[in-house]
Amino acid sequence: MRDLDESITLRRLVLDLTPLGHPNRCSSLINLADRIYERLERKMQLRAWGKLSLFNEPLRSECTPPVHPDRPISLVNLANCFHERFQSQGTKGNLDEAIELSHVALVFLTLGHVDRVSAQDRLTAYLKTKM
């Protein structure tokens, strides 16, 4: 777990040193979000849940413009994080956020895209949970 914590610290430093608009900023942000998500999966650390809000707006806008190839998968991953936070904390707003992010991701995952079916399955699960 120390290696993961160190990886998060270093990725946060890289992100801090990467200015807005830099072509590698999105990758830095996604890498940091992935490591924080990994920490959540391993330890279910509640303090890490708060970090999700750091990734919401950047992944939706400046770091993943509509033409960026990582945008749909980033949105799907972020939706999954919000769904897991909903499962952990029971806050309806987290489930609503997961559903909204999934809908946005599906706009970019066209028919035939390799990740579309799994994204649809996740959205279906989120909607079923809401019922």
Side-chain angles (χ1 to χ4, degrees):
M1 192 51 108
R2 269 193 216 149
D3 291 341
L4 181 57
D5 290 338
E6 183 178 359
S7 174
I8 290 170
T9 299
L10 293 172
R11 293 200 183 276
R12 185 172 285 123
L13 178 62
V14 168
L15 181 64
D16 290 344
L17 294 172
T18 309
L20 290 174
H22 190 281
N24 293 336
R25 185 162 173 88
C26 180
S27 296
S28 296
L29 183 64
I30 291 170
N31 288 334
L32 176 58
D34 286 347
R35 294 296 77 74
I36 290 174
Y37 180 70
E38 185 177 343
R39 181 194 289 161
L40 289 173
E41 284 185 316
R42 285 190 186 180
K43 290 186 83 176
M44 294 305 293
Q45 292 181 343
L46 292 180
R47 66 185 175 92
W49 285 121
K51 304 293 187 206
L52 287 178
S53 60
L54 296 174
F55 303 107
N56 193 356
E57 187 55 36
L59 285 175
R60 284 174 172 241
S61 60
E62 53 116 331
C63 288
T64 52
V67 296
H68 195 287
D70 293 334
R71 180 182 173 114
I73 300 310
S74 298
L75 293 173
V76 167
N77 289 342
L78 186 61
N80 193 46
C81 289
F82 274 101
H83 184 255
E84 289 192 21
R85 184 161 78 174
F86 164 76
Q87 289 179 317
S88 172
Q89 298 176 349
T91 307
K92 183 183 175 289
N94 291 320
L95 180 57
D96 293 338
E97 192 68 27
I99 291 168
E100 182 183 340
L101 288 164
S102 294
H103 279 294
V104 173
L106 284 172
V107 168
F108 299 102
L109 293 171
T110 57
L111 289 175
H113 189 286
V114 67
D115 295 311
R116 184 171 175 87
V117 172
S118 67
Q120 286 176 315
D121 286 344
R122 287 183 184 183
L123 176 57
T124 301
Y126 303 160
L127 291 169
K128 190 174 183 178
T129 300
K130 192 170 183 171
M131 297 165 60

